[in-house]
Amino acid sequence: MANTLSPDEYFEVARGHYKQTRYAQAAEGFTKAIDLAVIPRIEALEGRARCYDKLERFVEACKDGRDMIRLNERDIRGYLLTGSELEKLEKPEKAAEIYKRGMAKIPISDPGFTTIRSRHDRIIRQLSPAHAVDPFAILPAELIDMVFEYIPFKTMVACLRVSRSWKQNLIRSTRRWVHLDFSEASRGTHVSRACVRNALSRSQNQVQTLVVSRFSHYDVLRTIATVCKGLTEATLLYGGVAGHSIVEFAQIAMNLKKLIISVSVSLDTVTQVLRHRPTLEHAEFRSICSAHLVATWSETCPNLSTLVLIGSNSAETPAAALNVPGLMSQTPALRYLKLFHWWGYGPGSRTTDFSETSLTHLTLKEVHVSSFPLLPKTLQQFVFRPHNQLSLQPHRGVVSNALKSWVPNLTSLEISHCTNMDEKFLPNLLDRIPAPWDLKTPVPDFGSAPLESLTINNTLTDNNNPFLIPGPKGLLATPRIVNSKLRSLNLSKQFCNDDDIEELVKRLKGLETVNLSQTRITGAAVKMLVDGLPKLRHLIIDDCERISSQDAAVYARKREIAVSQKMIPAIKSNGKGRKVRY
């Protein structure tokens, strides 16, 4: 039978039942008023919740209270009603959370704010132990020191406001203030000069590591560098410190070994910092602005082992301006080098030769190069993503450096954003054995290290042919790849199909992480991977158009394998389409 009354009329009928203490009939009336309304009235939800309360149906009453909060989070009635029902359900912790949330949303000027605050405070007092004891009063000093070793610096600063005894105890210990980390300062605020100076005073000028963010008071940084002779690490994040100030800071900090700069600086500033601070072992410059002149590396950095140079995203930073050969000649101890976002054109040669270095980790991302780099025999990890989508064709001398490189220690290889990689490229790079006349000094042949991680991402093969097929050529032809120690394989955006996966499963039993995003595999290939790789723990199959359902992913997850399966929106020919959500 169709309803003949409007939601407002049902509401009035329900109110009449409630006044006559007919709570069951009143609840039915409020329910009809809620169901018939496009947006239910908050008064109807409140009325039904009070009926449920009278009928001792506290769970349903609590649900209506939460719906009131969702309908209007600035109406105090929903918080008061929900908290009251949670208390009757003997859930005081959740009731306190509701009251606390209400105090955050409701303005202090609201007449009910005092009520909700008093209820919150009452529950907190009930939950507190009958006799609260200050741990500083009963625990030995050694145990307190051990506890604070695991507390972040920001939390320790907050503990200063707990009580006078806590503050005195924290200030008394000098070694708690030798590692200053202001990186977690509240967003939108700046670290004050007084805050850093107070921490310096508490350390008695014994600061060893310093991290500051949104801090522009260079005079305080200069003081720390001057008086703290034990300062070995410094990180400057997102501040207003000028380049010449950073150079002066590096000059003053006589024992500085690690320096990380996220502030935008010029390439000239970088060269000066390395020139004036020869004690540096680790240096990162994460925002180097446009360079118009070729860098001059005139002084030797004897201790520098790690160097990260990241160009600014807001300007073209010429790769040639880095003068990589000059840099490598002045850093004999360099083992880790990362160059990122150096892609603009500039004067000088863009061919990079690392063969005479002792690098163990080399990362070249978004760097403009004219050929594949010549790699050193000491290299263990190599990441190569050129900005100019380098062609790896075997003619015209483009891959001559790959043929000349000898990388017996390489265990991790990532090549992406290249074109025309044929089936000979990886075997030529990985399996080359130098002739005696290629070596300046004889080297014992202890064999080549097997790869543990391989990424061939967005690197198109010649004529779009798959390269997993076994035989004298191809990816699975080299023993450095086909080994039990290969743990991670990334072949996203390659022309892999189910036949390739069948061969992969037969030969690479040790894989733990496999990325096959945007490939031609189907759900059958996923099941082959799950059944054939006993150590598989992570599988990424994003945007695989031939996997049309979630069945294969569900099958993998049942084997406790973490699966990522995302799909891009489908676009129809008329420009309209619907999103496919996995």
Side-chain angles (χ1 to χ4, degrees), residues 214-234:
R214 292 184 290 275
F215 187 75
S216 57
H217 306 291
Y218 172 67
D219 58 323
V220 179
L221 295 180
R222 183 172 53 193
T223 301
I224 295 177
T226 303
V227 303
C228 298
K229 303 303 181 181
L231 183 66
T232 58
E233 299 182 13

Side-chain angles (χ1 to χ4, degrees), residues 210-346:
L210 173 67
V211 182
V212 291
S213 177
R214 292 184 290 275
F215 187 75
S216 57
H217 306 291
Y218 172 67
D219 58 323
V220 179
L221 295 180
R222 183 172 53 193
T223 301
I224 295 177
T226 303
V227 303
C228 298
K229 303 303 181 181
L231 183 66
T232 58
E233 299 182 13
T235 303
L236 307 182
L237 306 173
Y238 318 114
V241 182
H244 64 86
S245 300
I246 294 175
V247 174
E248 185 180 359
F249 175 82
Q251 284 180 301
I252 300 173
M254 301 297 294
N255 296 305
L256 198 62
K257 294 182 179 180
K258 182 176 181 179
L259 179 64
I260 300 176
I261 304 294
S262 291
V263 182
S264 181
V265 296
S266 66
L267 186 57
D268 182 61
T269 299
V270 175
T271 60
Q272 291 188 56
V273 168
L274 297 183
R275 182 183 306 124
H276 295 297
R277 184 43 44 226
T279 58
L280 280 177
E281 299 175 359
H282 183 121
E284 296 184 25
F285 300 90
R286 299 175 178 176
S287 182
I288 303 175
C289 59
S290 180
H292 302 287
L293 299 175
V294 177
T296 303
W297 312 96
S298 58
E299 298 291 336
T300 303
C301 304
N303 301 311
L304 191 64
S305 61
T306 299
L307 179 62
V308 177
L309 301 176
I310 302 178
S312 174
N313 292 327
S314 60
E316 292 190 3
T317 46
L322 276 174
N323 184 16
V324 174
L327 170 63
M328 303 308 299
S329 65
Q330 299 298 324
T331 52
L334 195 63
R335 298 295 179 267
Y336 181 104
L337 175 64
K338 178 179 180 181
L339 305 180
F340 179 70
H341 212 280
W342 294 87
W343 55 274
Y345 291 89

Side-chain angles (χ1 to χ4, degrees), residues 4-5 112 151 225 257 505 573:
T4 58
L5 300 180
I151 293 180
K257 294 182 179 180
V505 169
S573 59

